[in-house]
Amino acid sequence: MFVSFEGVDGSGKTTQVKLLAEHLRAEGREVVETREPGGTKVGEEIRELLLHGGVMAPWTEAALFEAARAQLVQEVIAPALAGGADVLCDRYIDSSLAYQGIARGLGVDRVLDFNLIATGGLLPDRTFLLDVPLEEATRRRGPESDRLEREGDVFAQRVHEAYRELADVFALRVTRADATLPPEETARFIREELRDIS
Amino acid sequence: MFVSFEGVDGSGKTTQVKLLAEHLRAEGREVVETREPGGTKVGEEIRELLLHGGVMAPWTEAALFEAARAQLVQEVIAPALAGGADVLCDRYIDSSLAYQGIARGLGVDRVLDFNLIATGGLLPDRTFLLDVPLEEATRRRGPESDRLEREGDVFAQRVHEAYRELADVFALRVTRADATLPPEETARFIREELRDIS
């Protein structure tokens, strides 16, 4: 199965990927953990450009995430799924829908089309939105460090709301997980939700 | 007006951009010359990644060109056209159609959709395909220098044929110019062709 984790920075995605991977491996499953943007050599170079590059046009940003994603699908995700492994991805297509599609106003439909073209239509079997109040995420995340984070509270608020909107629109695929709980409890909720597809 | 120049490396695009720009300026017109990928700070960084990065997935390559193009449109081309200038671009959307759409087999329709989404639908008023036999282009270009050029003769042949196919499909916009002529004669042909829209 292919599972992605979404949420604002500081929502606990990395922790949940790790906890689910440990659980699945303990059950004897093969698991590939990856992250966006990055996860490949080209992707890490694009990540650098995205996080520390200068001002860029919204569609430039969207296309750079897309470029990294296309590489990750071809090089990592598709071969892993074809080989029978589970793939857990820290951010995937919904990050583009939330950040560029909604928060930057490019439009969910257009960003989704743009992404489906370049990923060969690959969507996760299930996506978890790690839902925490924005103040809590900001507190956990610590000092602001990259370009997207520096855009400040108004943009962060828009992204936060965008994710909730996506969870409503794509309700069959995207599940909100309460990430204010202790991590082990959130992880247990996620495992329960995956029981029917794993 | 917005005019793009296309053709394999060594077909004389840079020279023709320069000659047309000189002619238009002599007529008192304001002209902006630019090139792809590049033409902006972010674009030049993407250019580096494209020309000297490692092996990449076809859609990653397509999305990186697209990212550079989106930036160039927003930062250079659209403002110049809005300000009344002529824009002459060394490569634009047809490069993606020829290299990724046809030669790499991603499909012209999908690459075109992908591009129109991110450029806000901006197409040139007129595009000139500088048409030279492949051997002539190879001879003019000198020692091979970047990743795309290193792919060799089979790929170059595919791109060469792809451009001719595009000139047939988009016959109203794309004009084949004989680039085996002395540059000044090719330039005169191009000026004649532009007479009705300039």
Side-chain angles (χ1 to χ4, degrees), chain B residues 3 20 126 128 190-198:
Chain B
V3 179
L20 182 59
R126 195 63 60 89
F128 291 97
I190 288 170
R191 290 198 299 271
E192 290 296 324
E193 287 288 316
L194 288 173
R195 187 153 293 174
D196 55 325
I197 65 161
S198 63

Side-chain angles (χ1 to χ4, degrees), chain A residues 79-91:
Chain A
L81 293 173
D86 293 325
V87 175
L88 311 185
C89 196
D90 182 341
R91 294 192 179 283

